[in-house]
Amino acid sequence: MMQRFSISLDTGLLNSFDNYISNKNYSNRSEAVRDLIRQSLIKEEWERDKMVMGVITVVYDHHQPKLQEKITAIQHDASCHIISATHVHMNHDNCLEVIIVKDLADSVANLSASLSAIRGIRDCQLIMTSTGKEIG
Ligand code: NI
């Protein structure tokens, strides 16, 4: 069910918000406010070490000795629940691994940090998202 509420803002802040909305291509203020609220709730889930979903992307050169084995070993030894790991051969040198994880926020962040710290990894990023339970 949708509920309405009104917000009082000073003119300067409202102008900044309208510029933000326009730059992000929102069609109205309500949709932008909903997204900002959800983003804040997700951030809080991560800060409070709640059950979350994370997507870790890893780019590396598979020619580097032992690198692929290390990436696989860390995932097998991880204490968190890995839902899927997808490997893409991007070109002659580079591989992309996309790892989807559901667990407590700290465990997911630790897995990402462990992968990121492996020597030879070209890029490692963590998308912090939600199980969806707390964002409606
Ligand atoms: Ni590959």
Side-chain angles (χ1 to χ4, degrees), residues 3-69:
Q3 298 213 35
R4 281 177 169 272
F5 70 104
S6 58
I7 303 173
S8 303
L9 292 178
D10 67 52
T11 309
L13 188 56
L14 184 58
N15 288 341
S16 300
F17 187 55
D18 283 342
N19 285 335
Y20 168 87
I21 288 171
S22 163
N23 290 336
K24 298 272 184 182
N25 291 328
Y26 281 107
S27 54
N28 61 61
R29 288 173 180 158
S30 291
E31 195 49 47
V33 169
R34 282 193 282 272
D35 274 2
L36 288 172
I37 291 172
R38 287 193 197 101
Q39 284 163 19
S40 296
L41 292 174
I42 289 171
K43 189 163 173 273
E44 213 203 0
E45 285 180 46
W46 281 79
E47 285 167 358
R48 286 162 49 216
D49 196 21
K50 304 277 281 186
M51 186 64 68
V52 296
M53 305 265 325
V55 181
I56 304 168
T57 60
V58 183
V59 174
Y60 64 95
D61 182 347
H62 70 97
H63 294 118
Q64 186 165 320
K66 304 279 183 198
L67 187 51
Q68 187 152 8
E69 285 94 327

Side-chain angles (χ1 to χ4, degrees), residues 60 62 68 87-90 94-96:
Y60 64 95
H62 70 97
Q68 187 152 8
H87 184 106
V88 177
H89 312 301
M90 292 196 295
N94 291 311
C95 298
L96 166 69

Side-chain angles (χ1 to χ4, degrees), residues 84-131:
S84 78
T86 301
H87 184 106
V88 177
H89 312 301
M90 292 196 295
N91 53 36
H92 180 73
D93 295 320
N94 291 311
C95 298
L96 166 69
E97 208 144 309
V98 180
I99 305 157
I100 300 178
V101 191
K102 179 182 183 182
D103 214 302
L104 295 172
D106 286 355
S107 300
V108 179
N110 283 341
L111 173 60
S112 179
S114 301
L115 290 166
S116 182
I118 301 172
R119 214 180 139 154
I121 298 274
R122 290 192 165 154
D123 183 48
C124 179
Q125 299 202 33
L126 170 60
I127 297 168
M128 298 179 179
T129 189
S130 169
T131 61

